[in-house]
Amino acid sequence: MIVALKEYEKRKTKYNLLLKKQEKRMNSLSNLRLAVFILGFVILIRMYTLKFYLIFDSVVLVMIILLCYLAHLHKNIENEKKYIAALKGINETSIKRLKGHWKDFQDTGEEFVDENHNYSYDLDIFGKVSLFQWINTCRTYVGRQRLKEILTKKPENEQIIHDRQCAVTELGAKIHFRQRLEAEAKIICNDKQDTKELFAWIKEKNDYILKNKIIWILRVLSIVTGITSLTLIVRIIDYVIAVLLDTSTSAPKIFYIIPYYIPIFFILVQCVILRIKREDRMKNLIIAEKYNYSIKTYRNMLKHIEKHKFKSKYIIDLCKTLYDNDAKSAYKQIDTFSKICESIVSRRNTLYPILNSILMLEYHWTISIEKWKIKAGDDFEKWLVIIGELEALCSIANIKYDNPHWSMPKIVAGASMITAKNMGHPLLGEKRVCNNLNIEEPYQVALITGSNMSGKSTFMRTVGINIILAYAGAPVCADEFCCTIMDLYSCMRTSDNLGQSISSFYAEILKIKNIVEASKEGKKVLFLLDEIFKGTNSKDRHTGAMILVKQLSRTGNLGFISTHDLELGEMANDKDSKIKNYHFSEYYRDNKIYFDYKLKSGISPTRNALYLMKLAGIEIEENNEDE
């Protein structure tokens, strides 16, 4: 962690210095542009007064070229500055994450919160102070969606996890690649823009516009109209200059050969043609303009990805799709598409209506889009899947880089089991207390008792969140960790749902029903149950809990159940019992209560509810306390 912190601070300092240099360059260029304009203006006035019209025209041309070139340089430096600022911001964010200030990050994944999911709501995978908020560095919609899928779906087999682990290990060491990929997306960030509409649009084909006869007619007509209109425009400009300077027209006679009504006629014809199926074309142009920035982002990210050589088989196989299209890379294909979309954005220019009526730009843009769809449209979604996968893997790889002392878990086949050494909750930072764990045959249920606030729920969340990290291919917060692939279910947070007329107790019953049904289907289930049946009377709670524990332990599942019902622990004494008792305890010093949050074997020997009531000011009689 110290090594990572030093690296982030070094990079932050480096990019801060580069930013200052870029600002100086931009200021110098701005001053130079102003100087060129003033000097050129002075020369123009002088040449005009001396009637050196040829020199006057030459200076105008030189000024335009020079100012355009300086403007181009200024734009490039401005883009570089944005890129450097993004890299600086990434390192600042990384420093905050390491120092425990990640709870202030804006992207919490709140839209992914699902109270009905098997475990994500109970284990704080999304939302404020969540796993997603801590690890996410995805800046595109596809990346965030892919990270969400990885954190909420069980991998199919051990090989998938192993492949991810190899990819995460490689990417963890590639800090340059990870930060540059994030910076490319951060510059033009649009991470909430859904891609479904974009994918559907690219799959649509409008073949009518691609008929050779139509294309040739449109091209020839545009060229003829463009040339004839140019003569008309030159004549108009020549006339305006002549009036302003009080001289005769000076344009070459060639521009006066074509009568003015010919270009006007062609323009009128094209205006009529532009009305044909205009709604279809406008849909194309509107969507292209809407997703212009996203497409530009994907282009830049693909360019960065294609520059790198990878060693892990998982990433190599993933990136093969980038070169499947006629030996032309995905970046080059999407670069062509990006340029088309960027030119379409120019519709917002005030001169667009005039240019469109002369050149029929709408048709030519539509033709270009449809040709691109046919050539590369079928691969577009595959390319974005690669971007999303690499973004998600880079988010996970940050864990590997920031926490080099965490271990890569072993994923094994066979009977359900979890073993861990010094396992802690990854989100608790320095406050975490680590515990050892060994749950495997013949035991299948860990029954955890203990007093209030002793750490039972936190421990179960620790198990759950480390299992999720293990399945994601990430290192886990433990010195050693081994487990099998299981379907994770939890029932830890339940609340009344007034909209659906569901009480918290019934909501708990529905969650437990899902666990029981999954068990009956023969799935390997890992369940985390916190204070089951707490919404009913003590007798029914005890009876129901005993029946449920026996049923779940008979199916060959693996699970953790926390309870205040100490009598449940006696089930471990039954013949052939698959239940193992654990507990958390407290101790008292100077009339204060303390917790060590250490997992111990056996049933809890202590209770603290009455003591806590006393602290709250509730008067407890001694004889009642003894009872």
Side-chain angles (χ1 to χ4, degrees), residues 457-521:
S457 300
T458 300
F459 176 75
M460 289 201 295
R461 287 192 173 92
T462 299
V463 174
I465 203 166
N466 277 296
I467 285 287
I468 292 166
L469 288 176
Y471 292 171
V476 296
C477 185
D479 293 342
E480 294 177 9
F481 194 91
C482 183
C483 68
T484 50
I485 296 179
M486 299 166 280
D487 286 280
L488 178 58
Y489 288 82
S490 68
C491 181
M492 302 181 73
R493 279 196 192 113
T494 54
S495 58
D496 296 339
N497 189 322
L498 298 179
Q500 297 181 11
S501 300
I502 295 175
S503 68
S504 60
F505 177 68
Y506 189 62
E508 181 182 7
I509 293 295
L510 292 176
K511 282 196 170 187
I512 291 175
K513 179 186 175 184
N514 291 335
I515 299 172
V516 173
E517 288 180 348
S519 299
K520 290 179 178 178
E521 291 172 4

Side-chain angles (χ1 to χ4, degrees), residues 411-552:
I411 310 298
V412 296
S416 300
M417 55 85 70
I418 302 174
T419 61
K421 182 179 178 182
N422 290 327
M423 176 184 64
H425 198 297
L427 303 186
L428 293 181
E430 295 178 357
K431 295 179 181 179
R432 74 172 64 97
V433 175
C434 297
N435 283 287
N436 297 333
L437 177 67
N438 189 345
I439 296 293
E440 53 187 330
E441 289 188 344
Y443 301 108
Q444 298 198 261
V445 177
L447 192 67
I448 306 171
T449 53
S451 53
N452 296 291
M453 304 187 300
S454 60
K456 302 187 299 297
S457 300
T458 300
F459 176 75
M460 289 201 295
R461 287 192 173 92
T462 299
V463 174
I465 203 166
N466 277 296
I467 285 287
I468 292 166
L469 288 176
Y471 292 171
V476 296
C477 185
D479 293 342
E480 294 177 9
F481 194 91
C482 183
C483 68
T484 50
I485 296 179
M486 299 166 280
D487 286 280
L488 178 58
Y489 288 82
S490 68
C491 181
M492 302 181 73
R493 279 196 192 113
T494 54
S495 58
D496 296 339
N497 189 322
L498 298 179
Q500 297 181 11
S501 300
I502 295 175
S503 68
S504 60
F505 177 68
Y506 189 62
E508 181 182 7
I509 293 295
L510 292 176
K511 282 196 170 187
I512 291 175
K513 179 186 175 184
N514 291 335
I515 299 172
V516 173
E517 288 180 348
S519 299
K520 290 179 178 178
E521 291 172 4
K523 294 180 180 179
K524 281 185 176 181
V525 173
L526 170 61
F527 56 88
L528 306 172
L529 305 179
D530 188 21
E531 294 296 335
I532 50 176
F533 305 136
K534 50 185 171 287
T536 188
N537 64 78
S538 58
K539 185 176 180 179
D540 287 350
R541 180 172 64 247
H542 178 75
T543 303
M546 285 185 66
I547 295 170
L548 179 63
V549 171
K550 287 180 180 179
Q551 184 173 348
L552 291 177

Side-chain angles (χ1 to χ4, degrees), residues 2 6 87 96 106 138 144 188 325 356 360 372 489 525:
I2 296 174
K6 287 183 178 178
L87 287 167
K96 288 180 181 178
Q106 294 297 312
C138 300
R144 295 175 78 255
I188 317 171
N325 195 305
N356 187 41
M360 290 197 292
W372 188 89
Y489 288 82
V525 173

Side-chain angles (χ1 to χ4, degrees), residues 74-329:
H74 192 276
K75 185 66 177 177
N76 286 345
I77 295 172
E78 187 178 16
N79 290 336
E80 288 177 17
K81 183 183 173 185
K82 288 179 182 178
Y83 193 64
I84 295 167
L87 287 167
K88 179 189 173 186
I90 289 168
N91 284 279
E92 288 175 339
T93 299
S94 299
I95 292 169
K96 288 180 181 178
R97 183 181 291 110
L98 277 179
K99 290 185 175 181
H101 303 314
W102 55 271
K103 296 172 186 177
D104 298 326
F105 293 171
Q106 294 297 312
D107 192 356
T108 63
E110 190 69 35
E111 72 272 30
F112 300 139
V113 174
D114 180 5
E115 294 187 22
N116 297 317
H117 188 264
N118 291 343
Y119 59 80
S120 66
Y121 182 68
D122 289 337
L123 300 182
D124 301 309
I125 306 304
F126 306 107
K128 189 68 176 173
V129 193
S130 65
L131 178 64
F132 185 89
Q133 186 181 16
W134 177 55
I135 70 171
N136 176 51
T137 59
C138 300
R139 301 289 178 172
T140 67
Y141 179 85
V142 289
R144 295 175 78 255
Q145 289 291 325
R146 180 54 185 151
L147 182 58
K148 176 240 181 183
E149 289 174 6
I150 289 175
L151 297 178
T152 54
K153 291 185 179 179
K154 181 194 73 172
E156 294 180 5
N157 52 56
E158 294 82 6
Q159 187 60 46
I160 290 175
I161 299 175
H162 176 71
D163 289 343
R164 278 187 197 156
Q165 288 178 340
C166 293
V168 165
T169 300
E170 180 180 2
L171 291 172
K174 290 180 176 288
I175 184 172
H176 174 79
F177 173 81
R178 286 188 285 109
Q179 291 196 348
R180 294 267 167 169
L181 186 68
E182 185 180 353
E184 291 290 1
K186 189 177 180 181
I187 293 171
I188 317 171
C189 182
N190 203 352
D191 57 7
K192 301 295 174 66
Q193 191 175 48
D194 196 338
T195 53
K196 289 179 183 177
E197 182 186 37
L198 178 61
F199 291 156
W201 171 61
I202 286 177
K203 289 175 182 176
E204 287 179 2
K205 304 292 191 297
N206 296 313
D207 297 334
Y208 79 91
I209 198 72
L210 295 179
K211 293 179 180 178
N212 286 331
K213 289 182 180 179
I214 293 177
I215 292 175
W216 276 106
I217 290 171
L218 292 172
R219 284 178 177 172
V220 171
L221 190 57
S222 296
I223 292 171
V224 171
T225 306
I227 292 173
T228 55
S229 297
L230 179 63
T231 62
L232 180 61
I233 292 169
V234 171
R235 287 165 64 177
I236 292 172
I237 293 173
D238 186 41
Y239 175 76
V240 171
I241 292 174
V243 171
L244 291 174
L245 299 180
D246 195 22
T247 61
S248 59
T249 55
S250 57
K253 291 183 179 180
I254 189 173
F255 290 102
Y256 287 86
I257 294 176
I258 301 174
Y260 71 89
Y261 53 81
I262 290 181
I264 293 175
F265 170 76
F266 280 119
I267 289 172
L268 291 174
V269 169
Q270 291 192 161
C271 286
V272 173
I273 294 174
L274 284 168
R275 302 301 300 175
I276 301 173
K277 290 191 174 183
R278 191 166 189 271
E279 288 185 4
D280 292 342
R281 293 195 308 279
M282 288 307 297
K283 179 186 174 183
N284 264 333
L285 302 184
I286 289 170
I287 295 179
E289 186 176 353
K290 177 180 177 180
Y291 290 95
N292 172 51
Y293 288 122
S294 293
I295 293 167
K296 191 184 296 184
T297 299
Y298 300 140
R299 177 198 67 187
N300 295 343
M301 295 178 80
L302 285 174
K303 183 179 181 180
H304 179 65
I305 292 168
E306 289 180 6
K307 284 181 181 178
H308 281 77
K309 301 283 185 181
F310 298 98
K311 296 179 180 178
S312 72
K313 185 177 181 298
Y314 185 77
I315 302 180
I316 291 172
D317 291 343
L318 183 71
C319 293
K320 280 180 180 178
T321 312
L322 299 179
Y323 303 95
D324 285 349
N325 195 305
D326 299 329
K328 196 172 183 181
S329 73

Side-chain angles (χ1 to χ4, degrees), residues 346-383:
S346 65
R347 292 190 312 129
R348 300 303 170 190
N349 192 296
T350 53
L351 293 177
Y352 170 74
I354 299 172
L355 293 174
N356 187 41
S357 60
I358 295 174
L359 301 175
M360 290 197 292
L361 296 175
E362 286 181 13
Y363 273 106
H364 297 299
W365 285 333
T366 303
I367 291 169
S368 297
I369 288 173
E370 294 304 324
K371 281 186 173 181
W372 188 89
K373 284 182 182 181
I374 290 173
K375 186 176 182 181
D378 292 338
D379 295 319
F380 183 76
E381 189 170 348
K382 298 176 187 176
W383 299 336

